[in-house]
Amino acid sequence: MTEVTETHTDVCVVGGGPAGLTLALLLLRSGARVAVVEKLRSLEREYRGEILQPGGQALLEALGVLDGARARGCHEHDRFLLEERGRILINGDYRRLPGPFNCLLSIPQRHLLAELLDQCSAHPGFRYLGSSRCSALIEDTRQRVRGILGHGPDGELMVRARCVVGADGRYSKVRRLARLEYDRVDAFDQDVLWFKLPGEGALPADVRIFRAGGSPVLAYTSHPGSVQLGWTLPHRRYRDLAARGLDHIKSRLRAAVPEYAERIDAGIASFRDLSLLDVFSGTARTWTRPGLLLIGDSAHTHGPIGAQGINLAIQDAVAAHPALLSALADGDGDADGDGTGPLERYARDRRRDVRQIMKLQAVQGKMMLSTGGLAAAVRPRAAAVVSRTPVYRAVLGRLAYGNRSIAVRTDLFRPPASAGSGNLAG
């Protein structure tokens, strides 16, 4: 008979990414017990989302996480630039924003996750279940979610919880198990071929989308001393390119980013050096069920334009923190599902913020990534007009900060001696 490892907690978070671990730390500091279920064995892998906007930086600073994450290694960027054949069409100068967080911060995601995990681990009420996968939801007789079943390195596991949070990414298993429908939107109609090149000499202090020939390329300096690039391709065209061989792809890349031609030759030795990303956006139609909440990419998925994914994930966690505490204090984990519970109110309010960002990303994508003769003729004039208007400054502020009313509720924190004691109401 297979032995089952059983854990009892207040909140079970499935997914140990930025959203899940930020929320876990907030809850732990507020006296809740938290178990995080994460399928990966370690943090030592390649992550694509690295850019932190000022709003995300400010929230992490308020949580006491930013300095420790930065100390592990990062790179500041002054501006976001849209360039076409050497001509700057849009200059988003972040140094003109009010300090102290007036930059785009390229920080390896593993550095942020390691700092969050270290701080969570200092709380006695924390349990981290790595190398573990969720396979089923536990439901009571009223179909309220009351935990998860899964598989870990030591066999079967059961986590009983008063609330489950799905923070397990764009292909969320929790979302599927909860039977919450998801609407995918291929707004960009493009894929992104992502790769990293060795850095040499002075590295650029800008995040750039530039078009020298063919498809646009996103590029930024990444710690430690490398450059990350994302080459946009028409949707489902990579297979045809790959069939013509690695040398053909490298020649296309050299044409698209001629200033990196030598580094492309030196840094791309095999197809293993390239990663194809399926770029899409979308939202779950419902973010909650009685006893369950989706946050981050599990609830809403975003493309790379505007560097919003990790920032929205952190903001989700901060905004959901008081709602989850209220649900736990109610004693039933937001059980009614009638639209009036704290989790449902959170989802309703947060969905408005996410919808605005998605609209901005769609407009940005059309302006920056569109191809064809008409787009090439119109883009410089449109960019020149837009970049000089108050509307653009407002858009930059929205992308940089998100919803400024979202703030870390430090008033809900408990002294360290009582954190994780499991004595919340209910």
Side-chain angles (χ1 to χ4, degrees):
M1 183 175 179
T2 304
E3 184 175 349
V4 178
T5 301
E6 189 167 346
T7 299
H8 290 259
T9 191
D10 293 314
V11 179
C12 174
V13 178
V14 181
L21 288 181
T22 299
L23 179 60
L25 183 56
L26 288 160
L27 292 171
L28 288 162
R29 289 188 177 172
S30 302
R33 300 170 299 165
V34 181
V36 171
V37 178
E38 169 54 49
K39 65 182 180 181
L40 297 179
R41 289 190 291 271
S42 77
L43 303 178
E44 294 304 316
R45 71 179 186 92
E46 289 293 327
Y47 298 86
R48 306 291 176 243
E50 285 195 348
I51 301 294
L52 266 175
Q53 293 276 3
Q57 296 173 52
L59 292 177
L60 292 173
E61 171 69 16
L63 190 53
V65 169
L66 185 63
D67 287 347
R70 284 183 61 113
R72 298 170 188 263
C74 61
H75 190 94
E76 291 188 3
H77 294 283
D78 301 329
R79 301 179 299 172
F80 167 79
L81 301 178
L82 172 62
E83 303 177 35
E84 188 158 25
R85 301 187 185 278
R87 178 184 178 187
I88 296 176
L89 304 184
I90 289 181
N91 179 353
D93 189 349
Y94 275 70
R95 294 303 184 187
R96 299 180 66 178
L97 297 174
F101 308 111
N102 55 345
C103 69
L104 289 163
L105 187 66
S106 171
I107 183 166
Q109 198 172 130
R110 62 182 179 277
H111 291 182
L112 173 58
L113 298 182
E115 182 66 22
L116 285 165
L117 188 54
D118 282 353
Q119 294 203 27
C120 285
S121 299
H123 293 263
F126 180 61
R127 181 81 185 276
Y128 185 75
L129 302 170
S131 301
S132 300
R133 294 178 178 270
C134 173
S135 59
L137 300 179
I138 299 172
E139 299 179 359
D140 63 16
T141 56
R142 294 169 56 189
Q143 294 188 319
R144 299 171 299 185
V145 177
R146 286 294 176 256
I148 66 108
L149 299 175
H151 308 279
D154 300 320
E156 304 297 311
L157 60 88
M158 174 187 295
V159 181
R160 294 193 176 275
R162 294 161 60 197
C163 190
V164 170
V165 176
D168 52 337
R170 59 177 56 200
Y171 303 109
S172 172
K173 182 68 175 290
V174 170
R175 186 178 67 220
R176 296 198 302 272
L177 292 172
R179 302 179 296 280
L180 299 177
E181 294 188 50
Y182 179 87
D183 293 318
R184 170 175 167 141
V185 180
D186 290 299
F188 306 101
D189 197 29
Q190 290 169 324
D191 297 324
V192 176
L193 190 66
W194 206 271
F195 55 100
K196 187 180 291 188
L197 298 177
E200 298 174 3
L203 294 171
D206 301 314
V207 176
R208 306 161 65 197
I209 289 183
F210 57 98
R211 314 169 63 106
S215 298
V217 177
L218 168 69
Y220 62 88
T221 300
S222 175
H223 179 84
S226 61
V227 180
Q228 290 207 32
L229 294 99
W231 183 39
T232 59
L233 296 170
H235 202 32
R236 298 187 179 93
R237 288 290 304 277
Y238 177 68
R239 180 175 294 182
D240 295 337
L241 289 172
R244 301 179 66 177
L246 185 64
D247 287 341
H248 175 71
I249 290 179
K250 291 170 69 170
S251 70
R252 292 285 302 274
L253 288 173
R254 287 193 297 267
V257 281
E259 66 186 81
Y260 292 109
E262 292 184 5
R263 297 187 198 185
I264 287 170
D265 285 334
I268 300 177
S270 74
F271 281 105
R272 290 190 297 273
D273 297 320
L274 305 172
S275 299
L276 184 67
L277 306 183
D278 181 14
V279 176
F280 63 90
S281 60
T283 60
R285 296 181 187 178
T286 305
W287 295 2
T288 64
R289 269 189 52 190
L292 181 140
L293 174 67
L294 301 180
I295 64 171
D297 277 355
S298 301
H300 47 87
T301 308
H302 304 265
I305 296 298
Q308 290 298 306
I310 190 171
N311 296 277
L312 289 170
I314 292 167
Q315 290 172 345
D316 278 5
V318 171
H321 163 225
L324 275 162
L325 291 178
S326 294
L328 294 174
D330 287 346
D332 217 4
D334 210 31
D336 293 336
D338 59 1
T340 63
L343 300 187
E344 292 161 320
R345 291 197 299 273
Y346 154 80
R348 184 171 59 249
D349 293 343
R350 188 67 181 137
R351 191 181 287 271
R352 286 196 292 268
D353 296 334
V354 168
R355 190 179 297 118
Q356 288 182 349
I357 293 295
M358 284 186 161
K359 288 180 179 178
L360 288 179
Q361 285 187 303
V363 172
Q364 283 184 302
K366 289 178 180 178
M367 173 176 286
M368 298 177 186
L369 303 182
S370 57
T371 58
L374 179 60
V378 170
R379 182 167 31 251
R381 291 192 292 271
V385 171
V386 170
S387 62
R388 293 184 177 91
T389 65
V391 172
Y392 177 71
R393 291 191 289 273
V395 168
L396 181 61
R398 187 69 181 181
L399 293 173
Y401 297 104
N403 183 343
R404 294 174 188 252
S405 69
I406 295 175
V408 174
R409 290 286 304 277
T410 56
D411 59 300
L412 298 175
F413 291 174
R414 294 189 179 186
S418 62
S421 59
N423 58 356
L424 293 175

